[in-house]
Amino acid sequence: MMSTLLDVQNLWVRFPTRNGVFDAVRGVSFTLGRERLGIVGESGSGKSMTGRAILRLIRSPGIVEADQISLEGQDLMKLSEKDMRAVRGQRISMVMQDPKFSLNPVMTIGDQIIEAYRLHNSASKADAYNKSLEMLEAVSIRDAERVMRAYPHEMSGGMGQRIMIAMMLIPNPEILIADEPTSALDVSVQRQVLDIMDKLVKERGMGLIFISHDLNLVADFCDRVLIMYSGRIVEVCDADKLHEAKHPYTRGLLNSLPRLDAPRERLEVLERDPQWSEAPSVSGSE
Ligand SMILES: Nc1ncnc2c1ncn2[C@@H]1O[C@H](COP(=O)(O)OP(=O)(O)OP(=O)(O)O)[C@@H](O)[C@H]1O
Ligand SMILES: [Mg+2]
């Protein structure tokens, strides 16, 4: 059916600690096609670590293990660090949860985008400048010329996030991993950023992994959703069926959401069953 871009099998992320090894991701398996795949789950469930592990961006002493993480048939687990760097720059891009840490604080935004552009395209400085302006405009940054001259600390969280998205799209990646890319944005800007990503999936056939804790947003925006709990995937479902999800954890997450159409005095508190974190993780269909 849908062509598989990424095939992750039995992914583990482990952190040795003084009290033994902490497994942040525990045997996660899924596939990604040219689609919008959401990953949801509460804070600490392993969403970011899953995204970062695909790019082998887990900081020491963390360890990534997997039977395979294959990108169009090529197992990334077998690549050298040097070859992995080429994958990171060109084929899979990631927008990190906190953009402030990803931009260089002592370089103007313009110089950073121009540098990123020229790294991937042979272009004169003037051409790269114009392309960079276009890219900022594409992520709905008005006044792009002023932004080009600004430093990262002069940007709001939302601007920083959009600048990161613009930079991540320069190499025209096959896969974009976006970690809470719209959480810091107000609703109208959020919509614009989602539209940009949507267009890339539809027009360029990009695969998108969209990490979020916002179930309603994911149900609305994505094609499929993985629900993570305690380092495992507890349920996989079509996004438009998310509200019919069966797993008690997913049901609990849905029930603890505030709803405008059915306001309640008190929101439900999620009751946890220790069995959820022992359940075998489900592998993605397709
Ligand atoms: N360096 C580390 N050492 C030990 N544990 C870590 C380390 N970094 C992260 N963790 C743990 O890994 C688990 C998964 O973290 P992760 O960042 O993937 O969560 P998340 O689902 O992205 O949460 P959030 O919604 O808050 O972003 C957490 O319990 C976290 O405390
Ligand atoms: Mg996270």
Side-chain angles (χ1 to χ4, degrees):
M1 238 178 74
M2 184 172 42
S3 68
T4 301
L5 282 172
L6 188 74
D7 187 354
V8 176
Q9 292 300 324
N10 196 24
L11 172 67
W12 291 74
V13 177
R14 306 193 139 112
F15 291 100
T17 70
R18 259 177 296 163
N19 308 319
V21 177
F22 175 74
D23 295 326
V25 176
R26 307 190 293 150
V28 158
S29 302
F30 65 92
T31 59
L32 171 75
R34 299 176 192 283
E35 61 176 329
R36 298 159 299 186
L37 178 70
I39 303 184
V40 295
E42 66 193 342
S43 187
S45 55
K47 307 182 297 295
S48 295
M49 291 301 148
T50 300
R52 298 181 68 111
I54 292 167
L55 283 170
R56 288 184 15 208
L57 281 176
I58 302 291
R59 278 190 207 98
S60 172
I63 302 161
V64 180
E65 287 169 12
D67 292 351
Q68 65 165 27
I69 301 179
S70 73
L71 173 61
E72 291 184 297
Q74 182 180 40
D75 191 354
L76 302 182
M77 291 299 288
K78 298 208 171 88
L79 294 187
S80 65
E81 182 49 36
K82 181 165 166 279
D83 291 338
M84 199 57 214
R85 237 172 298 169
V87 169
R88 270 181 220 132
Q90 306 271 10
R91 305 187 59 194
I92 308 179
S93 282
M94 181 162 183
V95 179
M96 299 286 181
Q97 199 160 357
D98 194 338
K100 287 255 154 66
F101 294 119
S102 314
L103 291 167
N104 183 340
V106 298
M107 242 171 121
T108 63
I109 307 284
D111 284 347
Q112 296 188 54
I113 304 183
I114 290 170
E115 187 179 279
Y117 188 79
R118 293 184 81 194
L119 198 68
H120 296 288
N121 302 275
S122 53
S124 70
K125 242 189 149 170
D127 285 347
Y129 180 87
N130 289 329
K131 272 279 167 209
S132 303
L133 273 185
E134 263 172 49
M135 255 163 231
L136 288 178
E137 279 155 12
V139 288
S140 303
I141 288 183
R142 279 158 293 212
D143 206 2
E145 298 208 22
R146 184 185 62 80
V147 170
M148 292 281 281
R149 290 191 301 270
Y151 286 89
H153 73 267
E154 298 172 72
M155 298 292 108
S156 67
M159 287 253 246
Q161 199 69 292
R162 276 178 289 160
I163 291 163
M164 285 311 301
I165 292 173
M167 288 183 61
M168 290 306 127
L169 297 174
I170 288 172
N172 202 359
E174 288 146 81
I175 296 173
L176 177 66
I177 302 173
D179 193 353
E180 306 270 3
T182 60
S183 318
L185 310 180
D186 60 47
V187 177
S188 61
V189 182
Q190 186 179 70
R191 195 68 249 172
Q192 289 169 343
V193 171
L194 294 177
D195 286 345
I196 294 162
M197 290 193 286
D198 195 43
K199 220 167 127 192
L200 292 163
V201 173
K202 298 222 168 83
E203 289 176 5
R204 299 194 199 166
M206 192 180 76
L208 173 70
I209 297 180
F210 186 84
I211 300 174
S212 175
H213 60 268
D214 186 337
L215 271 76
N216 283 326
L217 182 69
V218 165
D220 197 38
F221 176 66
C222 292
D223 301 302
R224 276 193 313 141
V225 187
L226 312 178
I227 295 107
M228 286 193 73
Y229 175 74
S230 182
R232 287 181 187 272
I233 296 174
V234 294
E235 190 164 14
V236 182
C237 61
D238 289 339
D240 55 3
K241 306 254 162 51
L242 184 61
H243 290 276
E244 298 156 32
K246 303 223 163 42
H247 194 278
Y249 172 66
T250 318
R251 295 249 43 97
L253 282 180
L254 290 164
N255 287 336
S256 55
L257 287 178
R259 282 175 52 178
L260 283 176
D261 56 335
R264 272 176 290 185
E265 293 247 314
R266 299 179 55 177
L267 293 171
E268 258 173 64
V269 175
L270 188 54
E271 301 272 351
R272 284 140 209 285
D273 182 335
Q275 264 191 339
W276 296 349
S277 41
E278 300 312 322
S281 74
V282 194
S283 101
S285 56
E286 225 84 46

